[in-house]
Amino acid sequence: VEETVQKLSAIEAKRRMVLQALVCLPALALFDRHKMQVAEPAGEELVEIGGWILRKSELA
Amino acid sequence: MIFDSFEGFRTSGFKPRLIIIGSGPSGITVARKLGRAGIPVAIFEAGTAEYTEDSQAFYGGKALGDPYFDLDVTRLRYFGGSSNHWAGWCRVMDAEDFEPKAWVPDTGWPIRRTDIEPFLDEVHDILDLVPFRDDEPISDDIRWVQLIKSPAVRFSEKFGSEIAASKTIALVLDTYVTELQGDGTRITGAKVWSAGRDQGIATAECYVPCTGGLENSRLLLWSNERSNGGVVPHAEALGKYWMEHPQFEGGNAIMNNPDQFEMDAVSEAFFSPSRKAMERRRIMNFGIRFIKMPYHGAKWLVAELACLAPETAEWVSSELEGKLRCAAQLYVGWEQAPRADNRIVLSTSQRDNLGIPRIELHWSKSELEHRTLLEGVRLFGETLAAKNYGRVRIADWILNGDPYPTNQELAGNHHMGGTRMGEDLTRSVVDRNQKVHGMANLYVGGSSVFTTSGQCNPTTTIVALSARLGDHLVRVFGGTAMVK
């Protein structure tokens, strides 16, 4: 019985993990815009905000 | 030949021309060069063939200043020395590391990297290394460099049978050289304790302490005190300019493409500055260890969130009953500036079981160290943003100038300096051939001769310098030098 309970707990934990990750997706979208897939021309001014080193255009 | 104690060695009638003190990577490398050239050499090892707490207790000491490791834990006192616990990270110091930095006092070696390069093939054989690839600049400021995680050669295991079968190398275990005796121009003998008793004086034509980056200074300081300056006649720098590689978590990163940089077997990549960047920011060399956490799928998403929204990620992570960290961690290890006040002195209150003063290590990090850490992460972050490889966040404690955390790595267990190489008699102890200034027959092997520390793990450079020293000694003693 104990083994079965453990298996069910593991399944439940995985299910919750997926659900919680899905909850995170909107938050991830907030910073996904920073992850530009196409390289931009070099030379853009960099700024430091809260320890993050960013391109100035990312502050808009 | 291997002897369990000095008594067996004495009975054998073996007459060494050189006595090497210490059987770690440096001592064994020097001895093998001499032995292969047909020059009889003895290695006196204070410990036995295996770790014992009794032997290790001789290494106890006190560290003052910044938090540091226990001195009887940060090194090992038995056959093979600290090669018995090193992690195996390998890289030769950069050519720039040997050059003076005009913006940092007391930098610049009397030799250049080209002086040790002829020995690198031997080093690769000794440390079981594959060839290094060239550094790859990813911007004007940052180089993508390579550290090789080698099999972490245990010198006792790899070379034990070779030494046992050798007719020209005598390894003498349980033989503690408590003191060298000298007259101000040459060493006249080594006072030996073995098998629980005083064994008198051992003599040879030449003496080479290779006892490590802490113990070399201790042995020479004590010997010099006992000989009234007869062992290191120019002792102003003795024990001084001691250096470590401070290591702390410097921040984290998110990457556009997590596979942007080819990772090694343990998901790490390494980055260092160009000389121009060091000069412009007036900092020392550094190495950023970029660690990609081994997360996949949903865990990777949450880990990336941890970079941007740590509190939210912590909540999510706790809901998952796990503990996730930012997907890419940045650890920084850096070159410490050589400073005379970072030093080893003999304790006035603590002695080992034979009455030899223990080490008192005075060690602290300066404002330059903090600047190197901060500007190092900043340079890396600027490169990642400019090239659009990713974004870096500098850790709060660094930006705020808070005290260094005490729950991190602290340093590399890399003990360097104390008998540094140089031409100025007031700022160095050994010359370009690792011979003690003013002494005809006393040389020093190991990282205590480092003039500056560079940013990389020291073992590869220690072995290269030791191969060069062995080659030099072969020439001095009339054998055939064996540069491979």
Side-chain angles (χ1 to χ4, degrees):
Chain A
V1 172
E2 193 174 318
E3 191 177 336
T4 306
V5 169
Q6 281 180 348
K7 281 183 180 173
L8 287 172
S9 297
I11 291 168
E12 174 62 13
K14 278 187 182 175
R15 190 183 69 82
R16 279 189 289 122
M17 181 186 294
V18 171
L19 286 174
Q20 296 289 359
L22 288 173
V23 168
C24 295
L25 286 177
L28 288 169
L30 288 175
F31 66 86
D32 202 46
R33 67 193 179 90
H34 293 306
K35 301 170 70 178
M36 292 160 284
Q37 299 303 309
V38 181
E40 292 186 351
E44 187 179 340
E45 190 178 344
L46 301 177
V47 292
E48 205 171 298
I49 303 290
W52 282 102
I53 298 167
L54 304 169
R55 293 178 168 202
K56 197 169 183 181
S57 62
E58 292 165 337
L59 296 179
Chain B
M1 293 167 276
I2 297 180
F3 300 93
D4 289 335
S5 74
F6 187 78
E7 291 170 341
F9 167 74
R10 183 165 48 203
T11 306
S12 75
F14 184 84
K15 298 291 181 196
R17 295 187 68 190
L18 296 95
I19 291 173
I20 292 169
I21 307 164
S23 66
S26 179
I28 287 180
T29 300
V30 174
R32 289 179 71 239
K33 295 283 286 189
L34 289 157
R36 285 179 170 194
I39 298 170
V41 56
I43 308 172
F44 289 174
E45 167 55 51
T48 57
E50 303 289 340
Y51 176 95
T52 70
E53 290 188 1
D54 285 348
S55 175
Q56 203 61 28
F58 280 88
Y59 272 173
K62 191 174 181 182
L64 302 169
D66 286 355
Y68 195 62
F69 311 110
D70 291 339
L71 299 188
D72 57 347
V73 172
T74 189
R75 52 199 177 138
L76 290 172
R77 190 179 184 265
Y78 68 103
F79 179 24
S82 294
S83 78
N84 288 299
H85 70 177
W86 77 304
W89 287 108
C90 289
R91 177 176 171 83
V92 186
M93 281 172 62
D94 297 340
E96 288 82 4
D97 292 327
F98 292 84
E99 303 292 333
K101 292 180 174 68
W103 59 99
V104 184
D106 296 319
T107 51
W109 294 51
I111 61 172
R112 293 291 172 265
R113 192 180 193 273
T114 48
D115 289 300
I116 61 171
E117 283 170 355
F119 304 95
L120 295 185
D121 282 350
E122 288 177 64
V123 173
H124 278 249
D125 289 345
I126 291 168
L127 296 179
D128 294 337
L129 288 175
V130 296
F132 288 99
R133 68 161 169 77
D134 292 336
D135 294 349
E136 192 174 314
I138 61 170
S139 70
D140 289 344
D141 293 338
I142 296 291
R143 296 169 289 147
W144 178 16
V145 302
Q146 187 186 30
L147 268 79
I148 295 177
K149 185 82 163 66
S150 74
V153 167
R154 310 300 184 214
F155 276 63
S156 56
E157 292 173 12
K158 179 162 181 177
F159 300 111
S161 54
E162 177 188 318
I163 292 170
S166 174
K167 303 290 184 196
T168 50
I169 302 174
L171 171 64
V172 192
L173 300 171
D174 186 21
T175 298
Y176 178 16
V177 174
T178 58
E179 178 187 330
L180 291 168
Q181 297 176 339
D183 61 10
T185 60
R186 56 190 303 111
I187 298 297
T188 55
K191 199 164 186 283
V192 170
W193 179 277
S194 179
R197 68 185 188 87
D198 185 354
Q199 301 284 350
I201 306 296
T203 59
E205 294 170 48
C206 183
Y207 303 79
V208 191
C210 300
T211 61
L214 288 161
E215 206 65 9
N216 276 347
S217 288
R218 180 191 183 203
L219 172 63
L220 294 181
L221 282 164
W222 176 240
S223 300
N224 211 35
E225 186 174 311
R226 298 275 291 171
S227 293
N228 295 317
V231 170
V232 184
H234 306 282
E236 193 168 326
L238 181 57
K240 297 177 182 173
Y241 302 97
W242 195 83
M243 299 163 287
E244 247 282 10
H245 290 131
Q247 293 184 13
F248 289 89
E249 192 174 335
N252 46 45
I254 53 173
M255 299 294 290
N256 279 340
N257 173 10
D259 300 319
Q260 177 77 51
F261 302 108
E262 183 187 342
M263 300 287 165
D264 62 18
V266 285
S267 293
E268 298 181 349
F270 299 87
F271 301 89
S272 285
S274 66
R275 182 174 177 85
K276 281 184 179 175
M278 282 187 269
E279 187 170 4
R280 197 173 70 249
R281 303 285 171 109
R282 301 176 72 78
I283 57 176
M284 305 298 288
N285 200 353
F286 62 82
I288 287 188
R289 183 158 46 116
F290 179 100
I291 305 177
K292 195 171 81 170
M293 303 305 281
Y295 302 143
H296 301 283
K299 281 189 175 181
W300 176 267
L301 289 176
V302 178
E304 282 233 303
L305 180 64
C307 307
L308 283 172
E311 288 180 5
T312 308
E314 189 179 345
W315 172 75
V316 172
S317 185
S318 66
E319 288 295 300
L320 298 178
E321 296 169 359
K323 191 172 182 182
L324 296 178
R325 310 194 67 191
C326 181
Q329 304 287 317
L330 305 178
Y331 286 84
V332 188
W334 66 92
E335 176 180 34
Q336 189 169 30
R339 291 186 359 238
D341 57 346
N342 277 333
R343 66 197 188 280
I344 294 163
V345 298
L346 297 174
S347 171
T348 54
S349 59
Q350 296 186 330
R351 292 175 181 252
D352 69 18
N353 287 347
L354 295 185
I356 315 298
R358 292 188 182 277
I359 285 176
E360 198 172 274
L361 174 66
H362 297 250
W363 181 66
S364 62
K365 298 178 284 295
S366 71
E367 186 277 334
L368 175 55
E369 265 85 67
H370 182 266
R371 191 165 78 240
T372 298
L373 169 62
L374 173 59
E375 294 301 323
V377 183
R378 192 170 268 153
L379 278 166
F380 184 62
E382 288 168 0
T383 284
L384 258 56
K387 300 288 182 184
N388 211 31
Y389 292 148
R391 302 293 181 270
V392 162
R393 183 173 189 275
I394 305 170
D396 287 340
W397 71 270
I398 301 174
L399 278 175
N400 298 338
D402 294 339
Y404 288 89
T406 54
N407 60 348
Q408 296 189 14
E409 290 181 82
L410 303 182
N413 292 285
H414 305 156
H415 318 135
M416 300 165 287
T419 68
R420 70 198 303 248
M421 187 188 292
E423 290 165 349
D424 182 341
L425 302 187
T426 66
R427 287 182 164 81
S428 62
V429 175
V430 302
D431 67 13
R432 58 179 287 115
N433 291 318
Q434 299 178 224
K435 187 170 75 65
V436 172
H437 294 309
M439 295 295 283
N441 65 345
L442 177 60
Y443 292 78
V444 180
S447 53
S448 65
V449 307
F450 283 18
T451 310
T452 55
S453 68
Q455 62 81 21
C456 65
N457 302 50
T459 303
T460 319
T461 307
I462 291 171
V463 174
L465 283 169
S466 301
R468 178 176 177 269
L469 171 59
D471 193 73
H472 174 76
L473 290 171
V474 167
R475 293 174 200 276
V476 169
F477 283 83
T480 305
M482 298 185 72
V483 177
K484 192 170 179 182

